[in-house]
Every structure is written in structure tokens, then in C-alpha cells.
Amino acid sequence: MKIAIASDHAGFEQKVQLAPWLAEEGYEVLDFGPSSEDRVDYPDFAYKVASAVAAGEADRGILVCGTGLGMEMGANKVPGIRAAAVQTPEFAELMRAHNDANVLCLSGRFVALEVNEELCRIFLETPFEGGRHAGRTAKLDRGCMVEPRVQVVRHPLVAHKLSILRGKDTPTKLFRELIRELALFLGYEATRDFPLEDVEVHTPLETMTGKRVAGKKVAIVPILRAGLGMVDGLLVLLPSAKVGHIGMYRDEETHEPHEYYCKLPPDVDQRTCLLVDPMLATGGSAAMAIEFLRKAGVSDVRLLSIVSAPEGLEEVLASDPTVRIFTCAIDRCLNENAYILPGLGDAGDRIFGTL
Ligand code: PRP
Ligand code: URA
């Protein structure tokens, strides 16, 4: 097993003793410094060891500073690293058994060398238990993003436009423009993984190899009425997309969706479908629309919703195993009439001026 080790000036004295001790114990040791007790910044050394572990150049990392805490914070900034500052044998065991930690951070000032050697031994010999812990460490590796199928578009202009959109005094014309503009931001994120191919481009000066989208066929499918407000924005991004329509309204008493119209492109089953609706409230309308698309043979469905309620997200994710959702905001909850709070009111009425 290859061990990457480093310290700062406060951990230097122990590091120079731990490194040869690890070698005697039969480990291959990669010493990332420093080479003297001169004052250094711990983030620089945390980064060296963490990067080596994340890149697979070392199997585990050991970092020593005054407390172990700065090294822990630094190492955990590197994706793929699970680092913990540990002072007791029990914690050293659990950081491996439950957290599958790959970097151990030690205190060179407050913990004796013999204790730290024991912590290293436990850290290097204890296996990960897996099982229920594996799902949790996977969430850590995704940056604690609980649901990877939901993406919130975070951009200052999105936040700014959304605040104006929500305002109760925003007039119909501006509301409509903002819906169209926010649809563009959602479309930008939802198409980020479209594959590219090389294309020869003749500039006025020379010929170069550029990129173009590799024949991705797209259908934009608004849920009527309010989804219509998002179509023009998406057509700016995807001018040759086909447009299907699914007409639905929510029963005001039961909040159940009712379908009244459905017209999809004949080859919709060969297209990536961007299903669009500004509001995802209970999720009933979106879940039903996704079911239509699945029945029509669509395999890649991406729901673009400007404002989503947690209840709606949960419903849609539970009702379909592969749909991906792009949204500008996840609001607090629904009220007793299944309207989103804080929300923006009735999107269809505000787009078409039928309040
Ligand atoms: C709104 C909205 C969604 C639906 C969301 O449409 O545009 O389609 O409600 O609610 P849900 O997630 O609880 O199903 P509405 O029924 O008001 O029709 P409209 O677009 O014609 O105004
Ligand atoms: N439909 C809307 O237009 N707004 C909501 O808040 C909920 C459903």
C-alpha cells in the first residue's frame, strides 16, 4: 500500500518520525514535504497529499499539523477525499469502518507520537464495512447533493430575474419576458451534456477544426398553458427542435391533473424531450406528462421548471426512475390550495393576463 505523507512546520517533528516508521511497517511512503521545520502554510501540503490520493497515485494519505484540523479542512476541499482529524483509536477505527476515510489528519502538538502511530496502524488496517454506509459515502462524494437527478441553476442573473418574476406587481409583459429568459438559462444547463463532433470551419483567414452538436434531435414539449411561455426562449437555443404540446389543467378542488390535449412529433421516440412548465407544485401534471412521453417511447426526458416545490420534486422522482429535473429554485412548500410558497402565484394567469 502506498502512503502519501506531509506536514506543516508544527507537524514536521512527528512527520519525520512517522515516515520511516511506516516504511519499517512495510508501506511504500511518498513524502510530500516539507523538508525542514521552516514555517509553511498547511493548505499547500494538505493539497499535495489529497491530490495524490484523489489521483490514485497513493492509496491513503497522512497529514500532520498542530491540531490536525487545518489539514482536515484543506484535504476535504479536494473532490474524492474523505479526511478526518482523529485523536482516539475508536475514532480512527470508525473513520475507516463507517466513513471509508482515505486521509488521516493528526495533531503533532497535542497527541504523543506513540498514540499517533497507533492511530496510523488502525487507519491503515481497518476495512470499510460498506453496506448501509456505502450510500452515505457516495452522497459525500457527490458534495452532499442528495438527489443527483435534480439540478438547481445557480447564477446571479437567474436569482435577480427570479426575484422580479415573483413580485406581485410585475406587469404581464415583463413577466412573460422573464419566463422566456429564465427558460434560456434552464435550457443552457439541460443541454450541457450534448455530444459534440468536429467540423471544418473556413474563417476569413484560415481553416480550423471547430465543434458542432453531434446530431442530437430534440423535442420541446410545453405543458399547456403556462409551459408555452418557455418555448420561445428554448427555440432561441435549439432553433431546429420540434415542438409537441400536452394540455393539462389542475382540478381546483382535488388538485389532480386532467389531460385535454396531446400532440407530439411523430418521431418523438428518437428525440431528447425537454418537458417544460414554469411550476412544479404537487408534481401531478409533470408526472402524468412524463408518463405520456414514456408511453410514446421517449427514453430521455428532462423536465425544466422555473420554480419547484419539494413535494413536486419528490413525486416526479418517485414516479419515474430516470427523468432529470432542471429548476431555478426549490421553494419552501405548498399551501393548502397546493400553491407554491413563496412561489409566484398562478403562472398561466400571469403569463396570459387572465388573473
Ligand atoms: C399549473 C402549472 C402546472 C401545474 C403545476 O397549471 O403550470 O402545469 O399547475 O401543478 P401540479 O404540479 O400540482 O400539477 P394550471 O393547472 O394552473 O393550468 P394553466 O397552465 O392552464 O394555468
Ligand atoms: N400552479 C401555479 O401556477 N402556481 C403554483 O404555485 C402552483 C401551481
Side-chain angles (χ1 to χ4, degrees), residues 269-315:
D269 55 330
Q270 291 152 47
R271 294 178 178 270
T272 290
C273 273
L274 304 183
L275 179 66
V276 301
D277 191 327
M279 308 305 279
L280 177 62
T282 64
S285 307
M288 191 185 262
I290 293 164
E291 205 181 316
F292 283 151
L293 295 175
R294 296 297 186 207
K295 281 191 183 140
V298 181
S299 57
D300 185 356
V301 181
R302 305 175 187 201
L303 174 65
L304 278 56
S305 130
I306 292 175
V307 179
S308 302
E311 294 90 331
L313 289 169
E314 202 174 310
E315 167 66 21

Side-chain angles (χ1 to χ4, degrees), residues 212-274:
R212 69 175 171 207
V213 174
K216 193 87 180 169
K217 290 165 79 179
V218 178
I220 300 165
V221 182
I223 300 180
L224 306 182
R225 278 180 306 170
L228 278 179
M230 297 170 70
V231 174
D232 282 355
L234 289 164
L235 282 173
V236 171
L237 287 182
L238 302 159
S240 47
K242 295 275 194 288
V243 182
H245 295 87
I246 297 179
M248 260 175 208
Y249 70 92
R250 282 199 325 177
D251 183 293
E252 287 191 4
E253 297 294 317
T254 65
H255 313 130
E256 290 294 317
H258 293 274
E259 184 230 347
Y260 58 86
Y261 184 76
C262 182
K263 179 90 180 170
L264 300 172
D267 61 350
V268 73
D269 55 330
Q270 291 152 47
R271 294 178 178 270
T272 290
C273 273
L274 304 183

Side-chain angles (χ1 to χ4, degrees), residues 226 250 279-282 334 337-341 343-349:
R250 282 199 325 177
M279 308 305 279
L280 177 62
T282 64
L334 298 178
N337 297 318
Y339 270 79
I340 300 175
L341 295 176
L344 50 76
D346 188 306
D349 281 342

